[in-house]
Amino acid sequence: MKAHLFVSFIIGGVTLIGLLLIQPKYAVTMTIIIWLIDIVPFLGSIIILAPWGLYHLLMGNTSIAVKLFILAAILLIIRRVVEPKLMGDHIGLSTLPTLISMFIGLQLFGIIGLLVGPFVIIFFIALKETGVIKVNFKI
């Protein structure tokens, strides 16, 4: 949870900077809304930025729409790259097993599996290190 909250603060900072460059009039308000939505694990900034960009695109403000879509893509990339790394560092796993366990957990059990998946890997590693499970492959 600490890693997820830290990533949310990074997302909030990048969102504020991006929105100050795009539309300073609504930057702080929209940053707070996007940050609050982004705290929920499965939702994210796309829920707000995509419809907002689509609205501007339909209204003929293509420049603002493109900037909002670019900001949404940047935030999505930050989320997908930074979150597994930070989560792996906080729980003692490397990035790849963390990412795989998050994906498998999400596919099998939904949002709860996304959070529990890495802990299953930690449990397996602990059992392997204590000698309860004798397996010759490395995670």
Side-chain angles (χ1 to χ4, degrees), residues 79-103 118 121 139:
R79 165 78 58 201
R80 299 297 171 236
V81 171
V82 174
E83 186 175 34
K85 174 69 175 138
L86 286 176
M87 193 164 179
D89 289 347
H90 280 286
I91 61 177
L93 288 176
S94 64
T95 306
L96 186 59
T98 303
L99 190 59
I100 291 171
S101 66
M102 288 171 66
F103 177 75
I121 297 295
I139 294 179

Side-chain angles (χ1 to χ4, degrees), residues 27 36 47 54 62 69 71 77 87 94-95 98 100 117 130 139:
L36 288 173
I47 299 282
L54 187 61
T62 54
F69 290 140
L71 178 61
I77 290 169
M87 193 164 179
S94 64
T95 306
T98 303
I100 291 171
T130 59
I139 294 179

Side-chain angles (χ1 to χ4, degrees), residues 6-7 22 36 38 63 76 79 81 87 95 110 115-116 120-121:
F6 185 68
V7 171
I22 297 171
L36 288 173
D38 195 63
S63 127
L76 185 65
R79 165 78 58 201
V81 171
M87 193 164 179
T95 306
L115 300 173
V116 173
V120 171
I121 297 295

